[in-house]
Amino acid sequence: MGAGLGTGFAGMSAAAVISPVLITFLDMEPYKAVGIALSSDVLASAVSAYTYGKNKNLDIRNGLIMMAAVLTFTVVGSFAASLVPAATMGNFSVFMTFLLGVKFIVRPVMTTKEAMQGVSRKKRAVQSLVSGMLIGFICGFVGAGGGMMMLLLLTSVLGYELKTAVGTSVFIMSFTALTGAVSHFVIGGPPDWLVWGLCVAFTLIWAEIAAVLANKASPKTLNRATGIILVVLGIAVLLFSFLTKS
C-alpha cells in the first residue's frame, strides 16, 4: 500500500518501501528483496502512466530518450550491485525518500506547462540523455532511487511541472523496473512467489488510486500530499528498521 501511494503520487520506486520491509521483517536477502520490489513497480507504474497520459501529463518524446539511457545503465547497475556487500544497499532509498519529501513540503514545484515550453528541444533531449544514464545506474544498483531521482531531476534540472514530471517518471519506471527485475532474478534466482504476488497486487491497486487522486489535485495540494507521503514512508521504514535491530 505504501509503495503504491508513493508510485502514484510521486513516481517513486516501490523498492524504497518494499525492500527495507522485506529485509527487516522477513530477513530476506537484500538482492532478492530488490528484485521483488522492482517487479512490483512494473504494473503499478504502467497503470499510473496511463492515468497521467490520459490527463495529458506525460512527455513521451523526452521520456523515451531518457528511458533508452536508463535501460542500458540499469543493467550495468544491477550487475554492479551483485558484487557489492548487502549492507551497502540497505538505507540509501529510505533517506532519499525522506529528504525528497521534505523538499516538496519546503520548496514546492510550482512550474507551469507554459514555462516548460520555453526550453529548446535540443537542450531538453541532451538533459534527458545525461539524466537517464545517471538514473539507470542508480536504479539498477540499489533497486531504488530511480523513480525518486527521476522526479528530482525532472523538476529541478529539466524544469517540468509536477504532474508531468510524475507522469513521465512512472512511464519510464514501468520499463526500467521490468529490466531491473529481470536482471535481478536472472542473477540472483527466482523470488518467493507468495511474497512477490502480494507485493505486486497491493502496489498496483494503491498506485492507481493515488494516480487518479493526484491528477485531480491542484499543484499546491499535490506538492503537500507528495511531500507528506514521502516523509511518512521514510520515517516509518527507518523507525521499523531501528526498532527491529534494537
Side-chain angles (χ1 to χ4, degrees), residues 5 11 14 21 23 26-27 34 60 64 83 101 155 184 194 204 232:
L5 289 172
V21 171
I23 294 168
L26 298 185
D27 197 28
V34 168
I60 294 180
L64 288 173
L83 307 176
T155 54
H184 273 68
L194 175 60
L204 172 63
V232 170

Side-chain angles (χ1 to χ4, degrees), residues 31 79-89 141:
Y31 196 75
F79 176 74
S82 68
L83 307 176
V84 175
T88 305
M89 301 167 62
F141 186 74

